[in-house]
Amino acid sequence: MKIYAIRHGQTNSNLNRIVQSWTNNPLNQNGITQAIKMGQFLQHQGYHFDHIYSSPLDRAIKTAELIQEYLYIKKPIMIHEAFIERNFGPFEGGSIDIAAKAIAQPNFRMNGFEHDEALLQRVEKGLKDLYLKHPNDHVLLSCHSHVVKSLLILSDPKQYDYRVLLNNASMCIFDYD
């Protein structure tokens, strides 16, 4: 299976460096433009997808919908709960800079915060679920920063961690078997 993990387009919380976690924020105008440009890029480059999956949050769904307009796949976008953003709990609505500094501590734990191991397990379970359904397919996955980072860590834990920077509407491609 080939996974094309795309981080959703920009929201106002991204722009203002506010932790949005499970808050259901919409894309801003720049985020809409980013998603459209990603769809145009995928179309222009001739990418083919058998399925499109998304996190259940609106910003990821809207990104998938805007991209889908440029693709030759008319199947409905499937929602998969495993690919929702990390639950930042007490950091929700606060500064990304403050949250990033706190959670960068090794083995960081706090009530209400989804720690690294729990997030990795959730994303890996979702990945295995997709593989069982679509072992030979190309899957576009519209999701979130910490989900894509989890996929990177699962692919190479020595090279990646949660501090890697991912731009909105960026794409990482994974082969999984």
Side-chain angles (χ1 to χ4, degrees):
M1 174 178 67
K2 199 163 215 142
I3 297 272
Y4 300 79
I6 298 175
R7 182 180 180 202
H8 62 79
Q10 186 184 66
T11 67
N12 285 336
S13 288
N14 295 137
L15 179 65
N16 296 311
R17 300 192 50 74
I18 302 296
V19 177
Q20 60 191 329
S21 184
W22 289 5
T23 300
N24 211 6
N25 292 322
L27 298 179
N28 61 22
Q29 189 55 53
N30 187 48
I32 290 168
T33 300
Q34 290 171 331
I36 289 169
K37 286 183 178 180
M38 177 56 81
Q40 291 169 337
F41 169 80
L42 294 170
Q43 180 188 49
H44 180 73
Q45 295 297 315
Y47 281 89
H48 163 78
F49 302 99
D50 300 296
H51 309 279
I52 300 176
Y53 278 82
S54 177
S55 151
L57 295 175
D58 289 346
R59 59 190 181 267
I61 294 169
K62 185 64 174 178
T63 298
E65 290 171 348
L66 291 166
I67 290 170
Q68 185 180 32
E69 290 180 21
Y70 294 90
L71 304 177
Y72 300 106
I73 178 171
K74 302 305 174 201
K75 294 178 185 175
I77 295 167
M78 304 299 294
I79 304 301
H80 202 303
E81 297 287 333
F83 302 112
I84 195 169
E85 178 61 292
R86 178 196 292 254
N87 184 353
F88 281 88
F91 296 105
E92 185 95 18
S95 165
I96 286 176
D97 299 323
I98 292 170
K101 191 178 217 179
I103 69 174
Q105 300 170 37
N107 301 312
F108 178 78
R109 298 275 200 281
M110 180 181 269
N111 283 340
F113 174 78
E114 185 175 21
H115 59 82
D116 293 353
E117 293 80 15
L119 177 58
L120 287 169
Q121 287 175 0
R122 172 169 58 87
V123 171
E124 185 172 30
K125 186 174 185 263
L127 187 60
K128 288 178 180 178
D129 181 54
L130 288 183
Y131 181 76
L132 290 173
K133 293 176 184 171
H134 315 293
N136 301 307
D137 293 342
H138 291 219
V139 177
L140 186 148
L141 174 61
S142 180
C143 56
H144 307 274
S145 174
H146 279 247
V147 172
V148 179
K149 290 175 185 183
S150 295
L151 292 168
L152 288 166
I153 293 166
L154 289 167
S155 72
D156 190 349
K158 291 180 181 176
Q159 183 174 346
Y160 298 106
D161 60 29
Y162 287 106
R163 291 176 299 206
V164 66
L165 179 63
L166 296 172
N167 292 324
N168 288 101
S170 61
M171 178 172 66
C172 294
I173 303 170
F174 303 90
D175 285 313
Y176 183 79
D177 62 20

